[in-house]
Amino acid sequence: MIDDIVCEKYYLSLTPSKLSSKLSVPTDEKDFTEIRSIQGLKNVPFGSPWQDFFFHCVDFNLPSLNIVDILPNEEQERQILREEVKKLLAATPDDSLLKLDLIDAIQHLGVGYHFVTEIEKSLKYVNDTYESCVKQDNDLHTIALRFRLLRQQGYFVSCDVFNKFKNRKGNFDESLISNVQGLLSLYEAAQFRVHGEEILEEALEFSTTQLNSLVVHKKRLASAYFEEAKWVYSCYIPSLEEYMKVGMPSGTYILLSTVALAGINGELVSKEAFEWVSSDPLILQASEIIGRLMNDLVGFGFEQKISAVGCYMNQNKGASKEEAFAEIQKLVTNAWIDINQEWLRPSPTAVPMVFLMQVIVNLSRTTHLMYKDIDAYTNSEVNLKDIITFILIQPVTIP
């Protein structure tokens, strides 16, 4: 309080010329201490816990810089940018996804206050046409973004629109799991729920579960790729055991399993099911081993990367390619035995048997088939195309 009174008297005592000079950035510490040296103020502490810390952070060796010299240029540049954005807002149709994305980007950048009138006008139109638009739209990102922008603006639009993304059993449709942008938008929309909106509570749980699972697995994948890159850069050949710890995640099998989990049955999409997959159980490890090693076997000799074959031969000096292949084939066989064992275990798992069979086992079978003799995934024209044709296109002859 004393600070305010004394400072006010001090500045009132300044002549216009003196006051103008105070608007320039000071060139030495004298300007900073002038007010503090006023009688009665020198020993009075500032009303901030910072005291005068920032007064002493100024580099007084820097050349004098007048604020008035900078502001006109900066303001002119800002004005040009504001006008360009205003033109873009005016030219973009209010009923388009582009307009919603544009408003969202402006608000996320924290510059929405420059375009209050334009944004309010556009969102009023979006609100007035809300019911007709949501009936036509089936894109999760568009619907969730529109809902969130309107709720942010204070419009109480109905959340019933999200019912169209549920299946007959009342669960959010399994196809949404691969729609990362839509899941993110749904998660953000759910933050604007009010009491009693159960569907938004469900949307929050669903989107959080899916996004967390994807993030965890993508982090593992990124970490594995980074470790492999370090090996290549340093010309280091790891032991087979070291390689498998990194090579299994980099095969993306666990990520594929996570995505496939929701594609089998909506009832399987639960927190417990994803936690089970994330725990990397033995049956899933075995599937990862099959995918990684079968790929390494067919790729050895022409793929320029570290592989299980090369790691084995380096670890066992003098071992031939044929010997390495034989040992790695044994590991693949053991992995299949692990799958058989886990399949027959009496203890219940967090997911139904249908997931174990249709996702883990069948995906392992597919991987084994694609990499049995050649890399049919990379060279699909050679063998894989014929297999798909025989199964899905050509009719079966019944004797």
Side-chain angles (χ1 to χ4, degrees), residues 80-109 111-123 125-126 149:
I80 293 174
L81 292 174
R82 279 196 294 266
E83 292 304 318
E84 289 180 357
V85 175
K86 285 183 178 181
K87 290 179 181 178
L88 184 58
L89 282 167
T92 308
D94 287 330
D95 58 353
S96 66
L97 173 59
L98 182 59
K99 189 59 161 285
L100 297 177
D101 284 330
L102 181 58
I103 292 174
D104 186 41
I106 290 172
Q107 292 181 339
H108 269 103
L109 289 171
V111 294
Y113 62 93
H114 287 299
F115 314 101
V116 173
T117 302
E118 292 79 7
I119 290 176
E120 285 182 347
K121 180 181 177 182
S122 295
L123 290 181
Y125 175 85
V126 174
L149 291 177

Side-chain angles (χ1 to χ4, degrees), residues 186-322:
L186 181 62
Y187 174 82
E188 291 179 332
Q191 305 304 317
F192 289 86
R193 65 196 183 281
V194 298
H195 294 297
E197 292 183 322
E198 293 298 325
I199 189 170
L200 291 182
E201 296 287 351
E202 295 171 13
L204 179 62
E205 181 179 1
F206 173 77
S207 58
T208 300
T209 299
Q210 312 305 329
L211 291 171
N212 282 342
S213 181
L214 289 173
V215 167
V216 168
H217 296 313
K218 286 185 178 181
K219 282 184 178 179
R220 288 183 185 178
L221 185 59
S223 177
Y225 283 147
F226 179 69
E227 191 65 28
E228 288 184 349
K230 287 199 302 182
W231 290 342
V232 173
Y233 181 77
S234 60
C235 299
Y236 173 71
I237 301 178
S239 66
L240 183 58
E241 183 180 1
E242 283 182 282
Y243 170 74
M244 290 304 294
K245 288 180 179 179
V246 173
M248 287 165 60
S250 70
T252 71
Y253 193 91
I254 192 169
L255 183 60
L256 290 173
S257 299
T258 303
V259 174
L261 173 59
I264 301 302
N265 190 318
E267 294 180 346
L268 300 181
V269 184
S270 65
K271 180 180 179 181
E272 292 74 21
F274 281 102
E275 286 178 347
W276 180 83
V277 173
S278 299
S279 69
D280 201 19
L282 180 58
I283 190 171
L284 190 55
Q285 291 180 38
S287 300
E288 291 179 284
I289 289 173
I290 293 169
R292 175 75 278 161
L293 294 183
M294 292 297 292
N295 178 275
D296 285 358
L297 287 172
V298 297
F300 183 73
F302 66 89
E303 286 187 347
Q304 301 300 313
K305 70 180 186 69
I306 296 175
S307 72
V309 179
C311 291
Y312 180 87
M313 293 174 68
N314 182 72
Q315 186 176 348
N316 298 273
K317 302 300 183 182
S320 65
K321 171 185 170 182
E322 290 71 22

